[in-house]
Amino acid sequence: MVDQGEEPPVEPPSEPIDKPRRRRKEARPQEIIAAGLAEFAERGFAATRLEDVAARAGVVKGTIYRYFDSKETLFEAALSSGVGPAFESLPDIVADHDGSTFDLLRLLVVRLYETLFLPEVELLARIIISEGHRFPAVAELYHRILIGKGRDILRRIIERGLARGELSPSPLSATPEVLIGPVVMAIVWNTTFDRLDPIEPKRFLEAHLDLLEKALGRNG
Amino acid sequence: MVDQGEEPPVEPPSEPIDKPRRRRKEARPQEIIAAGLAEFAERGFAATRLEDVAARAGVVKGTIYRYFDSKETLFEAALSSGVGPAFESLPDIVADHDGSTFDLLRLLVVRLYETLFLPEVELLARIIISEGHRFPAVAELYHRILIGKGRDILRRIIERGLARGELSPSPLSATPEVLIGPVVMAIVWNTTFDRLDPIEPKRFLEAHLDLLEKALGRNG
Amino acid sequence: MVDQGEEPPVEPPSEPIDKPRRRRKEARPQEIIAAGLAEFAERGFAATRLEDVAARAGVVKGTIYRYFDSKETLFEAALSSGVGPAFESLPDIVADHDGSTFDLLRLLVVRLYETLFLPEVELLARIIISEGHRFPAVAELYHRILIGKGRDILRRIIERGLARGELSPSPLSATPEVLIGPVVMAIVWNTTFDRLDPIEPKRFLEAHLDLLEKALGRNG
Amino acid sequence: MVDQGEEPPVEPPSEPIDKPRRRRKEARPQEIIAAGLAEFAERGFAATRLEDVAARAGVVKGTIYRYFDSKETLFEAALSSGVGPAFESLPDIVADHDGSTFDLLRLLVVRLYETLFLPEVELLARIIISEGHRFPAVAELYHRILIGKGRDILRRIIERGLARGELSPSPLSATPEVLIGPVVMAIVWNTTFDRLDPIEPKRFLEAHLDLLEKALGRNG
DNA sequence: CATGAATGAGTCTTCATTCAT
DNA sequence: GATGAATGAAGACTCATTCAT
């Protein structure tokens, strides 16, 4: 997932043998997007220079315009590119599972840590956190994703818990987003203070799970 | 609290009443800083035009340079300006208090919600979240503040709880930052999705306290 | 001579005749330099506007920055551009010559008048005289040239004269630069008073040679 | 001559004793002019900042405008200020003198070296050389001075020499300015190369006189 | 008179975007 | 398609000049 990475210098050996040039060309847009993602995450939208994106993608500034109408178009393309892969695998964990509510939450939370700290996803996260406010379309896209894939699952877990009698109605069950607050904090902390005092995701995850277990009970 | 931000709180009471102009002059840097804060929070550092900052402050572009050497200098001044007021009142709550660990945490968390959702502080928060990564000096400043004032209190609350036997060593007590994760999430969420789906701080606070109470016990 | 200044003297004779645009592009930097030289000579470095340089070169302000990093870079490029051509042909006149010292000096001085009053060289001279003091790099460049090519020849002429017994040691032979003082005066005079009361180089040259002849003797 | 110098920090002891303040104020324009002279010589007209002139004069930028209408007005005032003193003492040397032509020339040339290398006069010279071309009024002023006081004397010396039979008509006697070329060269050289390779006026003067003597004969 | 805050026109420099080759 | 030269609209910053105190 999201593995289009930075530069695939080794051409896929499984394919015939010709088309090394062809291959390259078809990959162009992806390479430009990957370069854009990296630059936008590093400098922010306004401070990113297309010249640098081009250099990182190994092309020339003008070439970007063959694939994207404008800097903004590239920006939105870059932000859309990783959305699917990044959050795709979440939904089905609730449906067929018969553990406790805590078990389900643990599954969700562990998955969140695994996903959100992937290098590519961190880039995305940094951009959304930095620029989301300035780009309504971006905010809306991610809001839809996070609601659709994330918040929704959370609510379904809670509803299931209530239905099974493992939980009882409370302010917490009414606003279950609170339960994943720590992982958001970890992401944001690492976005800003990564150079000074980075959070160790593993350690944070353990404490997070400890908190959930204490609050819900191992079987609650 | 924190409202001393904009205007020097001590006005010269000895002087007559005239000198509206004089008054104005002394306030200039503060007015420019306030305008800068608003613009930087709205558009980010790179996309903010000094022209707009000036207009908002009711002066002309060149005037900014009487007080600040460069756009960057103004940026840093703006970010430093609210630091003290915003976090000053936190420290002393632990020292003389004889409630349970949960009571103390509740005090801290309530205070955090009260402070962080003040309009001025929200501006600061947005800027730090958006630009902190690009401005090491800013990141360092706030890291120092947050560590010194925030994390420190948290750790002292935990230590006190351990000493009083209300808590026992666990992953959570080793990484107590997790406990305030939800408030960070709320801030960040509102920073990005304020226009689409804002979080109601009060409701979030209740759920947050509910979580803490469930996890620590009312007396734990 | 020295007229290769503006345009690369060797035009590609092999190519057809079209490509007027291509032709243009390769010449751009030279055109900008020529325009810069003219403007800098007319107004001085500080008062020259890149906008005017661009207009004179038939391009747009931004284009200058494709070739030169800054106004200062262009300035230095312009001053370096003409150095070689302007002083290149001097050196070899001493080596193989069997006339008297005066004959040699006459050759040198005539050549100096011919060279220094060429329109392009006058521009250079004006800039060096005006701005040399403010641009150490420029001063050093021309000092090296003038010493290497000019002063050196002068000294060799004198040494040759001493060796041949045409001259005898004296304050003048110790400081032979004095011998070319008049031509420097003529240049400077014309730089400043060209509009009021220009010096006629030819008349000045005659008087200068008259002075040298009287001082050294036709055969001395 | 030209002794208004840079900063007269010691108040004239011959005057009474009071009025130290009064004195200061009356001297203001002169102090500003002196400061302007120094700055204009150092940086040229366009690059000189009135702020720096003010600082050097120990006043505030606005104060300059109490005495001078504009930067240009100050410039012209500064350039006029030293003219009289600098060239005043030249004229009378020809009238009553009964030495040879060479003797007279020697007097003139020695006086030129003495005058032109005075620190204050060097400042003036540098400015005229640098900016004269851009300021017709300045060029005209100095042209009048130099013609009136300098060239004129030279011509009278030559005429006297012709009349006395010490000289005979020649290109040199028709263009006697050539005779003082070396001193101009020395000034210009020192203006540009003062930091790299300054000319020693004394040594140059000796060689210059040697040249004149050789050309005219001690008694010619 | 002097101050110094304020102004605003001007200039360098950057960079997204276009376009001929 | 790709290139890279050229464009032109901004925007940061400077500084001569003005003006209220």
mmCIF file of all heavy atoms in Angstrom, chain C residues 25 28 59-60 62-63 66-67, chain F residues 4-11:
data_model
loop_
_atom_site.group_PDB
_atom_site.id
_atom_site.type_symbol
_atom_site.label_atom_id
_atom_site.label_comp_id
_atom_site.label_asym_id
_atom_site.label_seq_id
_atom_site.Cartn_x
_atom_site.Cartn_y
_atom_site.Cartn_z
ATOM 1 N N LYS C 25 18.800 33.236 -28.634
ATOM 2 C CA LYS C 25 18.920 32.693 -27.290
ATOM 3 C C LYS C 25 20.359 32.592 -26.817
ATOM 4 O O LYS C 25 20.674 32.904 -25.690
ATOM 5 C CB LYS C 25 18.274 31.306 -27.246
ATOM 6 C CG LYS C 25 16.791 31.384 -27.002
ATOM 7 C CD LYS C 25 16.213 29.996 -26.856
ATOM 8 C CE LYS C 25 14.696 30.092 -26.709
ATOM 9 N NZ LYS C 25 14.053 28.780 -26.832
ATOM 10 N N ARG C 28 21.733 35.877 -25.658
ATOM 11 C CA ARG C 28 21.100 36.580 -24.545
ATOM 12 C C ARG C 28 22.046 37.093 -23.470
ATOM 13 O O ARG C 28 22.066 38.289 -23.182
ATOM 14 C CB ARG C 28 20.041 35.678 -23.879
ATOM 15 C CG ARG C 28 18.710 35.747 -24.540
ATOM 16 C CD ARG C 28 18.000 37.050 -24.191
ATOM 17 N NE ARG C 28 17.221 37.560 -25.304
ATOM 18 C CZ ARG C 28 16.022 37.163 -25.658
ATOM 19 N NH1 ARG C 28 15.424 36.217 -24.960
ATOM 20 N NH2 ARG C 28 15.411 37.677 -26.695
ATOM 21 N N VAL C 59 14.559 42.356 -23.111
ATOM 22 C CA VAL C 59 13.931 41.254 -22.387
ATOM 23 C C VAL C 59 13.141 41.810 -21.217
ATOM 24 O O VAL C 59 12.945 43.016 -21.101
ATOM 25 C CB VAL C 59 14.970 40.247 -21.855
ATOM 26 C CG1 VAL C 59 15.729 39.613 -22.988
ATOM 27 C CG2 VAL C 59 15.891 40.907 -20.859
ATOM 28 N N VAL C 60 12.728 40.911 -20.373
ATOM 29 C CA VAL C 60 11.933 41.301 -19.230
ATOM 30 C C VAL C 60 12.784 41.109 -17.986
ATOM 31 O O VAL C 60 13.691 40.293 -17.963
ATOM 32 C CB VAL C 60 10.665 40.431 -19.212
ATOM 33 C CG1 VAL C 60 10.336 40.014 -17.817
ATOM 34 C CG2 VAL C 60 9.514 41.195 -19.845
ATOM 35 N N GLY C 62 12.656 39.633 -15.205
ATOM 36 C CA GLY C 62 12.884 38.291 -14.684
ATOM 37 C C GLY C 62 13.899 37.493 -15.488
ATOM 38 O O GLY C 62 14.584 36.618 -14.945
ATOM 39 N N THR C 63 13.996 37.767 -16.752
ATOM 40 C CA THR C 63 14.906 37.007 -17.613
ATOM 41 C C THR C 63 16.357 37.159 -17.173
ATOM 42 O O THR C 63 17.152 36.224 -17.293
ATOM 43 C CB THR C 63 14.754 37.459 -19.071
ATOM 44 O OG1 THR C 63 13.391 37.287 -19.445
ATOM 45 C CG2 THR C 63 15.642 36.646 -19.983
ATOM 46 N N ARG C 66 17.710 34.482 -15.060
ATOM 47 C CA ARG C 66 18.048 33.164 -15.596
ATOM 48 C C ARG C 66 19.555 33.048 -15.779
ATOM 49 O O ARG C 66 20.127 31.978 -15.714
ATOM 50 C CB ARG C 66 17.312 32.914 -16.910
ATOM 51 C CG ARG C 66 17.631 31.550 -17.536
ATOM 52 C CD ARG C 66 16.521 31.083 -18.428
ATOM 53 N NE ARG C 66 15.310 30.914 -17.657
ATOM 54 C CZ ARG C 66 15.046 29.829 -16.911
ATOM 55 N NH1 ARG C 66 15.892 28.828 -16.859
ATOM 56 N NH2 ARG C 66 13.933 29.770 -16.208
ATOM 57 N N TYR C 67 20.195 34.184 -15.990
ATOM 58 C CA TYR C 67 21.613 34.147 -16.319
ATOM 59 C C TYR C 67 22.508 34.680 -15.203
ATOM 60 O O TYR C 67 23.679 34.341 -15.136
ATOM 61 C CB TYR C 67 21.861 34.936 -17.605
ATOM 62 C CG TYR C 67 21.093 34.385 -18.779
ATOM 63 C CD1 TYR C 67 19.930 34.985 -19.218
ATOM 64 C CD2 TYR C 67 21.519 33.210 -19.390
ATOM 65 C CE1 TYR C 67 19.208 34.457 -20.284
ATOM 66 C CE2 TYR C 67 20.806 32.674 -20.450
ATOM 67 C CZ TYR C 67 19.655 33.292 -20.894
ATOM 68 O OH TYR C 67 18.948 32.761 -21.922
ATOM 69 P P DG F 4 16.632 20.846 -20.432
ATOM 70 O OP1 DG F 4 17.985 20.425 -20.869
ATOM 71 O OP2 DG F 4 16.128 20.453 -19.097
ATOM 72 O "O5'" DG F 4 16.530 22.416 -20.566
ATOM 73 C "C5'" DG F 4 16.683 23.008 -21.855
ATOM 74 C "C4'" DG F 4 16.148 24.424 -21.822
ATOM 75 O "O4'" DG F 4 14.712 24.393 -21.959
ATOM 76 C "C3'" DG F 4 16.389 25.169 -20.507
ATOM 77 O "O3'" DG F 4 16.427 26.566 -20.777
ATOM 78 C "C2'" DG F 4 15.130 24.891 -19.738
ATOM 79 C "C1'" DG F 4 14.154 25.108 -20.883
ATOM 80 N N9 DG F 4 12.817 24.649 -20.608
ATOM 81 C C8 DG F 4 12.416 23.798 -19.612
ATOM 82 N N7 DG F 4 11.120 23.604 -19.605
ATOM 83 C C5 DG F 4 10.653 24.371 -20.662
ATOM 84 C C6 DG F 4 9.349 24.565 -21.137
ATOM 85 O O6 DG F 4 8.310 24.072 -20.716
ATOM 86 N N1 DG F 4 9.311 25.434 -22.234
ATOM 87 C C2 DG F 4 10.416 26.042 -22.785
ATOM 88 N N2 DG F 4 10.203 26.837 -23.812
ATOM 89 N N3 DG F 4 11.648 25.857 -22.342
ATOM 90 C C4 DG F 4 11.697 25.023 -21.276
ATOM 91 P P DA F 5 17.746 27.366 -20.756
ATOM 92 O OP1 DA F 5 18.783 26.636 -21.499
ATOM 93 O OP2 DA F 5 17.969 27.758 -19.342
ATOM 94 O "O5'" DA F 5 17.325 28.642 -21.592
ATOM 95 C "C5'" DA F 5 16.914 28.462 -22.942
ATOM 96 C "C4'" DA F 5 15.802 29.431 -23.283
ATOM 97 O "O4'" DA F 5 14.529 28.922 -22.817
ATOM 98 C "C3'" DA F 5 15.965 30.813 -22.659
ATOM 99 O "O3'" DA F 5 15.612 31.776 -23.647
ATOM 100 C "C2'" DA F 5 14.977 30.804 -21.502
ATOM 101 C "C1'" DA F 5 13.869 29.893 -22.027
ATOM 102 N N9 DA F 5 13.142 29.156 -21.001
ATOM 103 C C8 DA F 5 13.664 28.433 -19.969
ATOM 104 N N7 DA F 5 12.766 27.855 -19.214
ATOM 105 C C5 DA F 5 11.565 28.222 -19.785
ATOM 106 C C6 DA F 5 10.226 27.932 -19.453
ATOM 107 N N6 DA F 5 9.866 27.171 -18.417
ATOM 108 N N1 DA F 5 9.253 28.460 -20.241
ATOM 109 C C2 DA F 5 9.613 29.224 -21.277
ATOM 110 N N3 DA F 5 10.841 29.564 -21.686
ATOM 111 C C4 DA F 5 11.770 29.026 -20.893
ATOM 112 P P DA F 6 15.789 33.310 -23.292
ATOM 113 O OP1 DA F 6 16.115 33.953 -24.572
ATOM 114 O OP2 DA F 6 16.667 33.455 -22.110
ATOM 115 O "O5'" DA F 6 14.317 33.728 -22.884
ATOM 116 C "C5'" DA F 6 13.293 33.641 -23.867
ATOM 117 C "C4'" DA F 6 11.969 34.029 -23.242
ATOM 118 O "O4'" DA F 6 11.589 33.019 -22.286
ATOM 119 C "C3'" DA F 6 11.976 35.353 -22.470
ATOM 120 O "O3'" DA F 6 11.087 36.243 -23.135
ATOM 121 C "C2'" DA F 6 11.517 34.999 -21.061
ATOM 122 C "C1'" DA F 6 10.879 33.621 -21.235
ATOM 123 N N9 DA F 6 11.025 32.739 -20.074
ATOM 124 C C8 DA F 6 12.185 32.354 -19.456
ATOM 125 N N7 DA F 6 12.004 31.533 -18.433
ATOM 126 C C5 DA F 6 10.631 31.379 -18.380
ATOM 127 C C6 DA F 6 9.795 30.635 -17.524
ATOM 128 N N6 DA F 6 10.252 29.883 -16.519
ATOM 129 N N1 DA F 6 8.460 30.699 -17.739
ATOM 130 C C2 DA F 6 8.013 31.455 -18.745
ATOM 131 N N3 DA F 6 8.691 32.192 -19.618
ATOM 132 C C4 DA F 6 10.007 32.109 -19.382
ATOM 133 P P DT F 7 10.799 37.664 -22.548
ATOM 134 O OP1 DT F 7 10.442 38.486 -23.707
ATOM 135 O OP2 DT F 7 11.883 38.070 -21.639
ATOM 136 O "O5'" DT F 7 9.493 37.444 -21.666
ATOM 137 C "C5'" DT F 7 8.395 36.763 -22.260
ATOM 138 C "C4'" DT F 7 7.303 36.571 -21.235
ATOM 139 O "O4'" DT F 7 7.716 35.586 -20.255
ATOM 140 C "C3'" DT F 7 6.946 37.827 -20.432
ATOM 141 O "O3'" DT F 7 5.560 38.060 -20.593
ATOM 142 C "C2'" DT F 7 7.315 37.488 -18.994
ATOM 143 C "C1'" DT F 7 7.214 35.974 -19.002
ATOM 144 N N1 DT F 7 8.041 35.273 -17.997
ATOM 145 C C2 DT F 7 7.426 34.451 -17.078
ATOM 146 O O2 DT F 7 6.226 34.285 -17.035
ATOM 147 N N3 DT F 7 8.282 33.830 -16.206
ATOM 148 C C4 DT F 7 9.661 33.934 -16.170
ATOM 149 O O4 DT F 7 10.316 33.319 -15.353
ATOM 150 C C5 DT F 7 10.242 34.813 -17.155
ATOM 151 C C7 DT F 7 11.714 35.007 -17.207
ATOM 152 C C6 DT F 7 9.414 35.430 -18.019
ATOM 153 P P DG F 8 4.992 39.525 -20.624
ATOM 154 O OP1 DG F 8 3.874 39.562 -21.585
ATOM 155 O OP2 DG F 8 6.106 40.485 -20.726
ATOM 156 O "O5'" DG F 8 4.390 39.608 -19.154
ATOM 157 C "C5'" DG F 8 3.439 38.641 -18.755
ATOM 158 C "C4'" DG F 8 3.247 38.730 -17.253
ATOM 159 O "O4'" DG F 8 4.313 38.021 -16.584
ATOM 160 C "C3'" DG F 8 3.298 40.150 -16.687
ATOM 161 O "O3'" DG F 8 2.452 40.193 -15.547
ATOM 162 C "C2'" DG F 8 4.735 40.278 -16.219
ATOM 163 C "C1'" DG F 8 4.903 38.887 -15.639
ATOM 164 N N9 DG F 8 6.279 38.499 -15.432
ATOM 165 C C8 DG F 8 7.405 39.044 -15.971
ATOM 166 N N7 DG F 8 8.505 38.463 -15.571
ATOM 167 C C5 DG F 8 8.075 37.478 -14.717
ATOM 168 C C6 DG F 8 8.802 36.533 -13.977
ATOM 169 O O6 DG F 8 10.022 36.359 -13.945
ATOM 170 N N1 DG F 8 7.973 35.699 -13.226
ATOM 171 C C2 DG F 8 6.595 35.790 -13.195
ATOM 172 N N2 DG F 8 5.959 34.921 -12.420
ATOM 173 N N3 DG F 8 5.901 36.673 -13.887
ATOM 174 C C4 DG F 8 6.700 37.485 -14.617
ATOM 175 P P DA F 9 1.277 41.184 -15.498
ATOM 176 O OP1 DA F 9 0.424 41.004 -16.696
ATOM 177 O OP2 DA F 9 1.849 42.508 -15.181
ATOM 178 O "O5'" DA F 9 0.484 40.636 -14.241
ATOM 179 C "C5'" DA F 9 0.302 39.241 -14.111
ATOM 180 C "C4'" DA F 9 0.704 38.776 -12.715
ATOM 181 O "O4'" DA F 9 2.129 38.577 -12.633
ATOM 182 C "C3'" DA F 9 0.358 39.761 -11.595
ATOM 183 O "O3'" DA F 9 -0.021 38.999 -10.459
ATOM 184 C "C2'" DA F 9 1.692 40.466 -11.355
ATOM 185 C "C1'" DA F 9 2.632 39.266 -11.503
ATOM 186 N N9 DA F 9 4.027 39.627 -11.776
ATOM 187 C C8 DA F 9 4.492 40.625 -12.569
ATOM 188 N N7 DA F 9 5.802 40.686 -12.627
ATOM 189 C C5 DA F 9 6.228 39.649 -11.832
ATOM 190 C C6 DA F 9 7.504 39.181 -11.469
ATOM 191 N N6 DA F 9 8.637 39.721 -11.908
ATOM 192 N N1 DA F 9 7.579 38.125 -10.634
ATOM 193 C C2 DA F 9 6.444 37.576 -10.192
ATOM 194 N N3 DA F 9 5.184 37.925 -10.462
ATOM 195 C C4 DA F 9 5.146 38.983 -11.293
ATOM 196 P P DA F 10 -1.009 39.546 -9.398
ATOM 197 O OP1 DA F 10 -1.296 38.420 -8.496
ATOM 198 O OP2 DA F 10 -2.068 40.237 -10.133
ATOM 199 O "O5'" DA F 10 -0.253 40.632 -8.531
ATOM 200 C "C5'" DA F 10 1.089 40.510 -8.257
ATOM 201 C "C4'" DA F 10 1.392 39.335 -7.317
ATOM 202 O "O4'" DA F 10 2.701 38.875 -7.712
ATOM 203 C "C3'" DA F 10 1.511 39.732 -5.864
ATOM 204 O "O3'" DA F 10 1.505 38.602 -5.022
ATOM 205 C "C2'" DA F 10 2.881 40.388 -5.867
ATOM 206 C "C1'" DA F 10 3.641 39.517 -6.861
ATOM 207 N N9 DA F 10 4.530 40.332 -7.690
ATOM 208 C C8 DA F 10 4.197 41.341 -8.550
ATOM 209 N N7 DA F 10 5.252 41.898 -9.130
ATOM 210 C C5 DA F 10 6.319 41.184 -8.609
ATOM 211 C C6 DA F 10 7.704 41.284 -8.820
ATOM 212 N N6 DA F 10 8.266 42.169 -9.634
ATOM 213 N N1 DA F 10 8.493 40.438 -8.137
ATOM 214 C C2 DA F 10 7.928 39.542 -7.311
ATOM 215 N N3 DA F 10 6.649 39.344 -7.037
ATOM 216 C C4 DA F 10 5.899 40.219 -7.726
ATOM 217 P P DG F 11 1.051 38.823 -3.510
ATOM 218 O OP1 DG F 11 0.433 37.559 -3.081
ATOM 219 O OP2 DG F 11 0.337 40.100 -3.420
ATOM 220 O "O5'" DG F 11 2.419 39.004 -2.711
ATOM 221 C "C5'" DG F 11 3.348 37.927 -2.676
ATOM 222 C "C4'" DG F 11 4.645 38.409 -2.103
ATOM 223 O "O4'" DG F 11 5.374 39.147 -3.114
ATOM 224 C "C3'" DG F 11 4.488 39.372 -0.922
ATOM 225 O "O3'" DG F 11 5.475 39.063 0.038
ATOM 226 C "C2'" DG F 11 4.765 40.728 -1.534
ATOM 227 C "C1'" DG F 11 5.827 40.351 -2.564
ATOM 228 N N9 DG F 11 5.977 41.304 -3.641
ATOM 229 C C8 DG F 11 4.966 42.012 -4.264
ATOM 230 N N7 DG F 11 5.403 42.812 -5.186
ATOM 231 C C5 DG F 11 6.774 42.635 -5.169
ATOM 232 C C6 DG F 11 7.780 43.241 -5.954
ATOM 233 O O6 DG F 11 7.655 44.097 -6.842
ATOM 234 N N1 DG F 11 9.053 42.786 -5.612
ATOM 235 C C2 DG F 11 9.314 41.849 -4.651
ATOM 236 N N2 DG F 11 10.590 41.532 -4.463
ATOM 237 N N3 DG F 11 8.380 41.271 -3.920
ATOM 238 C C4 DG F 11 7.140 41.712 -4.230
#
